[in-house]
């Protein structure tokens, strides 16, 4: 029998098609009227279109959200928050925009409404990662847990298939680590297995038929479950090493997770047999690490750190930095094994235990 503690996330979730139309009503429920909309520069048009649906509740748009949530970008955004006298932030986008929303909430305690346009999953967590001086740090605090998340499959239809693939595998990483997390529990394990199944089924179908709604809906459903996993359990080697690669070496977030996930899964496989059994069922393969590597290939993702622009020396250094930071992992960290893993990930070789 497994002993465990389970706590449900307090976020209100609205899921479906056309649900963006409920934004104004959700603002009414929160008793807020002065919304600052957030986006990346690329999604500024989407933010403007959605802001127009709430009438005089729209007081401004800040469209410079940046990957890995640099502190200097948050400093800049805070001038707009103050100037607008916002009483709620509305984030439209993926991990970069959600990260900025959380950083603002951390400083101001303003409520957040999030409309995800990717499969990042961070919208369902009380975790925030910020980068300062080339180093990414994370913390968990209820101050950054969004109050409302509106999942609208229509907002994901324009996500290019290649980006959908890496964003989806990034989401799968949350579920994989939840299956062997130190604080795992049966409820989250069920969610994690279902999440991996849903995304692994949906992502190749999105690539094959980008305009089909059902696969997009299946992927968004799986991403929501992955976000629940991320918000309910602790991280281990995979997320730690990706934070090092992102914060210290400027590597792209979802693409880096996509490259590293098969290799870290293989590293931890000998120490996490129950997790591997769940992944085998979800992926339909006796070798989950190889199945994840093949899934990345099936969605057309790059499968090596070299293709993402990292040098071999930097990949080895990232492994060393990860080894130096003590934290729990199902398989104890071994410097030599980590270096071998990083060399394979850099070269794009299939994963090995």
């Amino acid at each position: 029998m497994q002993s465990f503690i389970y706590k449900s996330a307090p976020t209100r979730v609205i899921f479906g098609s056309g649900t963006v139309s409920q934004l104004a009503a959700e603002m009414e429920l929160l008793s807020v009227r002065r919304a600052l909309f957030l986006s990346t520069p690329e999604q500024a048009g989407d933010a403007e279109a959605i802001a127009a649906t709430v009438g005089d509740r729209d007081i401004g748009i800040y469209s410079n959200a940046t990957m890995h949530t640099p502190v200097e970008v948050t400093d800049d955004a805070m001038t707009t928050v103050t100037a607008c006298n916002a009483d709620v932030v509305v984030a439209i986008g993926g991990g970069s925009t959600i990260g900025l929303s959380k950083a603002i909430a951390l400083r101001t305690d303003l409520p957040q409404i999030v409309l995800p346009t990717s499969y990042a999953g961070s919208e369902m967590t009380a975790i925030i990662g910020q980068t300062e001086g080339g180093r990414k740090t994370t913390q968990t605090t209820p101050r950054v847990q969004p109050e409302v998340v509106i999942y609208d499959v229509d907002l994901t239809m324009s996500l290019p298939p290649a980006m959908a693939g890496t964003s989806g595998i990034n989401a799968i990483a949350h579920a994989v680590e939840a299956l062997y997390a130190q604080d795992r529990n049966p409820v989250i394990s069920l969610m994690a297995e279902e999440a991996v199944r849903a995304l692994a089924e949906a992502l190749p179908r999105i690539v094959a038929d980008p305009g089909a709604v059902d696969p997009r809906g299946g992927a968004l459903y799986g991403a929501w479950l992955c976000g629940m996993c991320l918000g309910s359990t602790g991280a281990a080697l995979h997320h730690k090493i990706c934070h090092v690669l992102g914060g210290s070496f400027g590597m792209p977030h979802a693409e880096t997770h996509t490259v590293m996930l098969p290799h870290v899964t293989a590293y931890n496989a000998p120490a996490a047999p129950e997790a591997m059994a769940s992944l085998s069922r979800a992926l339909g393969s006796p070798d989950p690490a190889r199945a994840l590597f093949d899934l990345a290939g099936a969605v057309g993702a790059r499968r090596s750190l070299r293709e993402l622009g990292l040098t071999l020396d930097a990949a080895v250094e990232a492994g060393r930095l990860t080894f130096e930071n003590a934290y729990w992992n199902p398989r104890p960290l071994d410097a030599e094994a980590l270096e071998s893993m990083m060399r394979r990930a850099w070269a794009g070789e299939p994963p090995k235990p």
Side-chain angles (χ1 to χ4, degrees):
M1 182 184 73
Q2 178 186 350
S3 298
F4 64 90
I5 296 173
Y6 174 71
K7 183 178 180 180
S8 179
T11 301
R12 175 176 164 86
V13 174
I14 297 95
F15 190 102
S17 174
T19 48
V20 69
S21 64
Q22 299 183 41
L23 175 57
E26 292 302 316
M27 290 179 64
E28 285 291 337
L29 287 174
L30 289 174
S31 299
V32 294
R33 293 198 60 84
R34 299 180 60 80
L36 176 63
F37 287 78
L38 307 176
S39 76
T40 61
E42 296 79 10
Q43 293 184 297
D46 294 334
E48 291 171 1
I50 293 173
T53 69
V54 299
D56 61 3
R57 296 180 181 89
D58 162 30
I59 59 164
I61 295 173
Y62 182 85
S63 58
N64 195 36
T66 304
M67 186 171 60
H68 303 307
T69 319
V71 170
E72 58 269 24
V73 173
T74 304
D75 291 339
D76 184 52
M78 283 300 303
T79 63
T80 305
V81 173
T82 302
C84 291
N85 192 27
D87 63 4
V88 63
V89 287
V90 179
I92 300 159
S96 298
T97 305
I98 297 166
L100 176 60
S101 178
K102 288 182 172 185
I104 292 170
L106 182 65
R107 298 189 187 191
T108 64
D109 209 25
L110 287 175
Q112 304 170 77
I113 301 175
V114 178
L115 291 86
T117 62
S118 74
Y119 310 133
S122 57
E123 66 275 1
M124 292 305 302
T125 79
I127 305 167
I128 179 171
Q130 301 182 91
T131 302
E132 184 173 16
R135 201 168 197 86
K136 188 169 185 176
T137 59
T138 62
Q139 62 174 298
T140 301
T141 169
R143 287 175 66 90
V144 305
Q145 179 86 41
E147 279 71 16
V148 179
V149 176
I150 299 176
Y151 288 106
D152 190 334
V153 69
D154 300 347
L155 295 180
T156 70
M157 294 302 296
S158 61
L159 187 65
M163 291 180 65
T166 55
S167 182
I169 295 175
N170 172 37
I172 288 174
H174 309 328
V176 170
E177 289 226 304
L179 285 167
Y180 55 62
Q182 190 174 25
D183 54 352
R184 65 191 180 278
N185 65 71
V187 175
I188 293 300
S189 293
L190 287 170
M191 288 185 180
E193 185 174 330
E194 170 66 359
V196 175
R197 183 207 62 76
L199 277 159
E201 176 184 292
L203 295 178
R205 293 176 62 201
I206 290 173
V207 172
D209 186 359
V213 175
D214 283 350
R216 299 274 186 170
L220 192 60
Y221 161 71
W224 166 60
L225 292 176
C226 288
M228 291 288 290
C229 293
L230 179 64
S232 302
T233 58
L237 174 59
H238 174 80
H239 281 85
K240 300 296 185 182
I241 203 162
C242 287
H243 283 164
V244 169
L245 287 165
S248 299
F249 297 92
M251 298 294 287
H253 184 82
E255 293 90 340
T256 300
H257 279 265
T258 298
V259 170
M260 292 307 307
L261 181 59
H263 297 281
V264 179
T265 301
Y267 182 95
N268 282 327
E274 291 183 7
M276 296 306 120
S278 292
L279 288 175
S280 291
R281 290 191 296 269
L283 295 165
S285 169
D287 185 350
R290 182 57 192 250
L292 290 168
F293 184 79
D294 292 343
L295 177 63
V299 300
R302 289 175 287 187
R303 294 188 287 183
S304 73
L305 296 176
R306 176 175 54 187
E307 291 176 285
L308 299 181
L310 194 71
T311 67
L312 178 57
D313 287 345
V316 172
E317 175 67 5
R320 186 187 65 78
L321 290 173
T322 304
F323 177 76
E324 288 179 351
N325 296 313
Y327 50 83
W328 185 88
N329 190 63
R331 177 183 172 185
L333 300 189
D334 176 88
E336 184 176 345
L338 278 178
E339 180 174 339
S340 296
M341 181 187 77
M342 293 307 296
R343 287 180 178 274
R344 284 193 296 274
W346 179 82
E349 299 171 357
K352 293 181 180 179

